Amino acid sequence: MLSIVRPVLLLDEQRVRQNISRMVNKAKHHGVAFRPHFKTHQSAEIGGWFRDFGVKKITVSSLQMAYYFAESGWKDITIAFPVNVCELNQIQDLASTVHLNLLVSSSEAADILARDIKTDTGIFIEIDTGFKRSGMDVDNIDAIEKILIRIGTNKYLRFEGFLTHTGQTYLAAGPEQIRSISAETYAQLRRLKEAFHSAYPHALISIGDTPGCSVMDDFSGIDEIRPGNFVFYDLMQLQLGACQPDEVAVAMACPVVAVYPERNEMIIYGGAIHFSKEFITIPEKGPVFGMMVYLRKEQFTEPDPDIWISKLSQEHGTVRTVPHQAAHFSVGDILYFMPVHSCLTANLMREYHTLSGEIIQTMNS
């Protein structure tokens, strides 16, 4: 029996392992390398579950995270974030002990690495295929070639290939649009790879968004996939159609601290510092910061469309219900909510409570 007195992030280990198994098997079926992103769970223990399925190389989002997982025995790590040149000394220390890949997202960064790196290091060039966050424009062949030439002047830098995050799939209206966006991205990357094939025949194409990796059935021309959120999934992925309700593996458990039936609302102990302020928009509801689920037979149900978090303050969560529903709840009840973005919620909560009552630490615990 779970004993909950304050907000905690509950984790269904069975679902997590099923999600890992499903993506491992998908990568094998399509003949692509699997380098999962560990920024979602940030846990050495959960990382060990990936090892159980034969995973040997990983992705992280910071040098600090790379060190944390290196200390847990991971030897092949890509930092899928534009290289922070302020950390070059620490980067080289780590690169002397593991196979480390960095992400170059600008010509300036390439110049600095080419000048200063003195330790064997892998380099991916980040490619922007339309998300407009960071990376070199996929069609700017001349600028990409200049970076490749600059990298080639340093014997310690090893060009690995082209890497992208198709973040625009998170704006899709559903699975079909995810497939359309992903197919166009893959076609762009195939053309890019072909443009440099004669000079760099071993260059890899690495892609990494959970919606695309979850729904796509054709990875032609792709060499590596790096999804992260799939390990837990969340309300955003469910709304996108990237997963099913029984694949979402986490839920926030929050005590009810006030009930206001006359306004169809409750207040929970669980605010922005627990959930994050990420939201989705649902017609007739507006911004939704989480939706209520039930814990039945040690499993989370699909979301209840009649009960959702409509507003978040620092510690307060305002729960909205359809008429007459709020009166069914009392102060002291524990309610469960599917978070909108499990990566951010997990980072804020810093530990997991499994449904069997165990506590799993993260790098932030």
Side-chain angles (χ1 to χ4, degrees), residues 252-254 268-278 289-290 309 312 317 337-341 344-345 348-349:
M252 284 292 298
C254 301
I268 56 170
Y269 179 11
I273 64 170
H274 307 104
F275 284 89
S276 91
K277 278 212 166 182
E278 193 94 36
F289 298 87
I309 300 174
L312 290 174
F337 294 90
M338 185 180 293
V340 169
H341 191 168
L344 297 183
T345 302
L348 290 168
M349 293 305 295

Side-chain angles (χ1 to χ4, degrees), residues 22 43 68-69 96 112 131 148 203 241 244 249 260 283 323 358:
R22 189 181 305 109
S43 166
Y68 171 78
F69 284 108
S96 68
I112 294 171
F131 189 38
L148 284 166
Q244 298 300 314
Y260 303 103
E358 299 175 5

Side-chain angles (χ1 to χ4, degrees), residues 325-343:
Q325 278 280 55
H328 297 159
F329 299 94
S330 302
V331 169
D333 287 349
I334 303 297
L335 305 186
Y336 306 96
F337 294 90
M338 185 180 293
V340 169
H341 191 168
S342 60
C343 304

